[in-house]
């Protein structure tokens, strides 16, 4: 049986048995018009609201707004940056050169261990500068491994003849990262060293030293 929408003239082939003996409401899937269709009538009856016997076409899927894609991308970037921040110590240990990047953004890095690094050629000299005495300290740090290493901090320590510490101060090396087998120099000075200072040492400052 062929029926036709009275609104848009779209035709449909349906089984008369689907209309029953008294007919039923049908809906045009093309324009949405609803009417009562009798099994033997040639023309549709006046439309009245009801459920459609002919399935309506599904509504088109709405595309997500453009901002949703940008928001998802932003969340991904934030998660990635958080991971880089939380894992920064492990990342710097594997790629020592990245320490400068974390320095630039103000993220502190745990002090590295000193294994494979060696302090050599420590020298000191007292220089008279008018009424002042200047203690000059020089030396070098060697990377004895084949891998790149990040340098811990350095400190110079003055002690008396019994080994009692009198004074300490930080010492800066020229390089913070050493390639395998590379070395770097350090130099520092102290104005008016304490009386009784008889021993000088330079060592690493790492987190395991508290």
């Amino acid at each position: 049986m062929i029926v036709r929408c009275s609104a848009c003239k779209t035709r449909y082939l349906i089984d008369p048995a689907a209309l029953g003996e008294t007919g039923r409401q049908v809906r045009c899937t093309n324009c949405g018009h609803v009417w009562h269709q009798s099994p033997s009538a040639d023309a549709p009856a006046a439309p009245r609201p009801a459920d459609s016997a002919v399935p309506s076409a599904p509504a088109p899927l709405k595309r997500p707004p453009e901002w949703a894609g940008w928001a998802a991308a932003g969340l991904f970037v934030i998660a990635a940056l958080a991971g880089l921040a939380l894992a920064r110590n492990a990342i710097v240990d594997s790629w020592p050169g990245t320490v400068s990047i974390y320095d630039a953004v103000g993220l502190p890095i745990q002090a590295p261990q000193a294994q494979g690094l060696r302090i050599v050629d420590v020298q000191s000299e007292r220089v008279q500068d008018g009424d002042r005495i200047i203690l000059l300290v020089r030396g070098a740090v060697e990377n004895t491994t084949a891998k790149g290493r990040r340098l811990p901090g350095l400190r110079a320590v003055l002690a008396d003849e019994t080994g009692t510490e009198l004074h300490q101060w930080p010492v800066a090396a020229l390089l913070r990262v050493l390639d395998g087998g590379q070395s770097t120099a350090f130099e520092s000075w102290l104005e008016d060293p304490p009386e009784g200072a008889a021993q000088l040492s330079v060592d690493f400052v790492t987190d395991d030293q508290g």
Side-chain angles (χ1 to χ4, degrees), residues 64-156:
E66 185 176 351
W67 62 263
W70 287 106
L75 291 175
F76 176 80
V77 172
I78 292 173
L81 292 176
L84 291 174
L86 293 174
R88 59 185 180 274
N89 294 314
I91 292 173
V92 170
D93 285 341
S94 299
W95 296 281
T98 58
V99 66
S100 58
I101 299 176
Y102 287 104
D103 284 345
V105 297
L107 288 174
I109 301 296
Q110 183 180 18
Q113 301 300 310
Q115 287 87 350
L117 300 174
R118 181 173 61 185
I119 299 173
V120 297
D121 299 332
V122 177
Q123 302 175 17
S124 63
E125 179 184 0
R126 289 176 179 264
V127 178
Q128 188 74 39
D129 182 19
D131 295 335
R132 301 180 304 170
I133 296 178
I134 306 297
L135 177 64
L136 301 178
V137 179
R138 300 184 181 90
V141 179
E142 295 179 344
N143 180 6
T144 64
T145 72
K147 297 177 58 177
R149 292 298 309 275
R150 181 168 53 100
L151 266 65
L154 294 168
R155 65 175 180 178

